[in-house]
Amino acid sequence: DAIKEIVDLNLGPDIFAFSRCMASDIKKAHACGCKGSILEIACNPPFVQKAYGKDMDWAKKSAIEATQAAKELGLHVSFFTIDGTRTEIDVLLDVVDEIRQKGHMDAFVCADTFGCVHPQSVYNIVRKIKKRFNVPLEAHMHMHFGLGAANTLAAVAAGADVVHLAVSGVGEGAGNTPLEDVVLSMKCLYGL
C-alpha cells in the first residue's frame, strides 16, 4: 500500500520495488506501478544452504525465472546478490553470468550485506565486475564498521553507475549508507 501511494504521488523519479526472486513479489511491484524492481537472492553457496535450506541450483533457477518474469511485465531489472561481497569473486561472477545469460539483467547490484569489505577491496571488486559485465553497476553498502560511505565512494571511483542510499542511513544491520554523507562527500570533496 505504501509503495502504491508513493507511485501515485507522481513526484518525478521512477519508483522501484525491492523484491525477492518470487513471482508474487514481482506481480505486486508491477501492480503498484513501479518502473522496476531490485530482485534479490543470495549467491553465496553457504548462505543459500543456511538461509534457505537449498542449494545453488535452486537459487539460480529462482533468479532466472524471476528476472524473466519481471522482464515480461516490462520492469527494469536490477539483479541483487545478497552477501555478494563475501562470495568468492569468481564464483559470484560465474553465477551472475549464468543468470544474466539465461534470465534477464538490466543492471547488477554489488551488495555488501554484512560489512566485510573495505574501500580498497570494493574498488577491486567493482573493477572486476565492470570488466566482466556490460550493464550498469549499482553499489549497495551497509554501515558496518562505519565504512558504508567510504565503500560507496570507492565503488563510484571504480566505475559504479548507481549508488543505493538511505536518508539518515536507515536500514538493516548497522544501517544502509547515509544519503547525506555520500551526497556531501561527492559534492564537496569530488566536485560531482
Side-chain angles (χ1 to χ4, degrees):
D1 290 342
I3 293 171
K4 175 105 175 80
E5 188 173 330
I6 291 167
V7 170
D8 289 345
L9 289 172
N10 289 317
L11 298 173
D14 290 339
I15 306 299
F16 280 44
F18 211 103
S19 309
R20 298 166 294 179
C21 282
M22 297 174 62
S24 59
D25 282 17
I26 296 160
K27 288 176 185 172
K28 286 178 185 174
H30 182 259
C32 286
C34 291
K35 296 292 182 190
S37 186
I38 300 167
L39 293 171
E40 70 165 2
I41 198 160
C43 286
N44 180 333
F47 188 93
V48 170
Q49 174 60 41
K50 295 290 182 186
Y52 307 118
K54 308 278 186 182
D55 61 17
M56 282 304 299
D57 287 337
W58 170 85
K60 289 188 280 188
K61 183 176 185 277
S62 296
I64 290 164
E65 290 173 357
T67 59
Q68 287 173 335
K71 179 185 178 188
E72 288 170 10
L73 289 173
L75 295 172
H76 180 279
V77 175
S78 291
F79 181 63
F80 181 108
T81 55
I82 302 169
D83 201 21
T85 57
R86 206 166 53 156
T87 308
E88 196 277 312
I89 189 69
D90 290 328
V91 170
L92 175 69
L93 296 177
D94 288 346
V95 167
V96 171
D97 203 22
E98 183 177 345
I99 292 163
R100 181 188 62 81
Q101 289 180 34
K102 295 179 181 176
H104 180 74
M105 183 173 72
D106 293 304
F108 175 63
V109 182
C110 176
D112 183 38
T113 310
F114 298 110
C116 56
V117 293
H118 50 74
Q120 296 84 352
S121 60
V122 168
Y123 186 89
N124 290 326
I125 291 167
V126 168
R127 297 298 289 178
K128 286 182 181 182
I129 294 169
K130 291 290 285 186
K131 185 176 180 181
R132 179 100 177 241
F133 303 120
N134 187 25
V135 297
L137 176 67
E138 304 177 15
H140 180 102
M141 305 293 154
H142 285 257
M143 284 300 291
H144 303 285
F145 304 108
L147 291 174
N151 287 339
T152 299
L153 293 170
V156 170
D161 302 286
V162 173
V163 294
H164 293 193
L165 306 169
V167 174
S168 299
V170 173
E172 72 175 346
N176 290 88
T177 302
L179 168 78
E180 305 81 8
D181 292 351
V182 173
V183 168
L184 286 174
S185 294
M186 290 177 76
K187 180 179 171 80
C188 297
L189 300 176
Y190 295 92
L192 300 174

